[in-house]
Amino acid sequence: MFMEWKITFRQHNIKMATRSGIGYDVHRLIESRPLILGGVEIASEKGLDGHSDADVLSHAIADALLGAVGLPDIGHFFPPTDESIKGISSLEILSRVAFELNELGAVIVNLDSTLIAEKPKILPYADEMKENISQSLGIDPKLIGIKATTNEQLGFLGREEGMAAMAVASVEL
Ligand code: MG
């Protein structure tokens, strides 16, 4: 009797469609590392640890863009075992991601991101971050959202053991 509810989705016969991707990343906070977020070095007692510059915000954005077009995550393109990319700027990672998207004929519609950290306040740096990211991706900074929230002092983020970031991206392909 439920067969009357059965539907078959029509195949899209349009050439381009808007696709979305999600990205999430976490890096540990340690002493004697610079804190780099959105390609901006921010004065801080601790910085993020990682194989690259550990720019957690840029990594979440990179994965959102790759996911939107069905490509593997940044670990595939930049494996942590590759010594030649040790300390690489994550803005370079974003440039590579933009290159891969362009190869597929994809166009970035917009992206949005949220940093989850007890500090610092990133609003004063948001415009500079957008400028860096927009230049790496070859898009207008107006297409980029950067926001931040604390974790209300809860869990590993609240104890300032690390920082996390989430991002979503929309892409025409
Ligand atoms: Mg990462």
Side-chain angles (χ1 to χ4, degrees), residues 21 24 39 41 54 60-61 112 119 131 160 164 166:
Y24 175 76
E41 186 166 341
I61 290 169
D112 190 21
K119 61 181 187 197
E131 192 58 40
E160 299 180 32
M166 298 190 291

Side-chain angles (χ1 to χ4, degrees), residues 24-27 52 54-56 59-60 74:
Y24 175 76
D25 196 26
V26 173
H27 281 265
S52 65
D55 183 340
V56 69
H59 291 184
I74 53 173

Side-chain angles (χ1 to χ4, degrees), residues 30-56:
I30 60 165
E31 277 164 21
S32 69
R33 282 272 295 187
L35 176 63
I36 297 168
L37 296 168
V40 179
E41 186 166 341
I42 299 172
S44 169
E45 286 166 18
K46 290 182 175 180
L48 296 170
D49 191 23
H51 188 63
S52 65
D53 64 3
D55 183 340
V56 69

Side-chain angles (χ1 to χ4, degrees), residues 100-146:
E100 295 294 335
L101 263 65
N102 191 53
E103 287 287 287
L104 296 173
V107 176
I108 298 167
V109 176
N110 81 306
L111 57 93
D112 190 21
S113 60
T114 299
L115 178 80
I116 309 163
E118 295 302 311
K119 61 181 187 197
K121 295 265 176 261
I122 66 157
L123 195 60
Y125 308 99
D127 282 346
E128 197 182 341
M129 291 175 182
K130 287 180 188 180
E131 192 58 40
N132 288 341
I133 294 164
S134 71
Q135 279 184 21
S136 297
L137 295 174
I139 62 171
D140 193 313
K142 292 192 189 75
L143 303 179
I144 301 170
I146 294 178

Side-chain angles (χ1 to χ4, degrees), residues 33-34 36 48-55 59 78-80 82-93:
R33 282 272 295 187
I36 297 168
L48 296 170
D49 191 23
H51 188 63
S52 65
D53 64 3
D55 183 340
H59 291 184
F78 296 94
D82 184 350
E83 280 300 311
S84 73
I85 55 165
K86 197 163 169 36
I88 188 178
S89 165
S90 297
L91 295 177
E92 280 189 60
I93 292 177

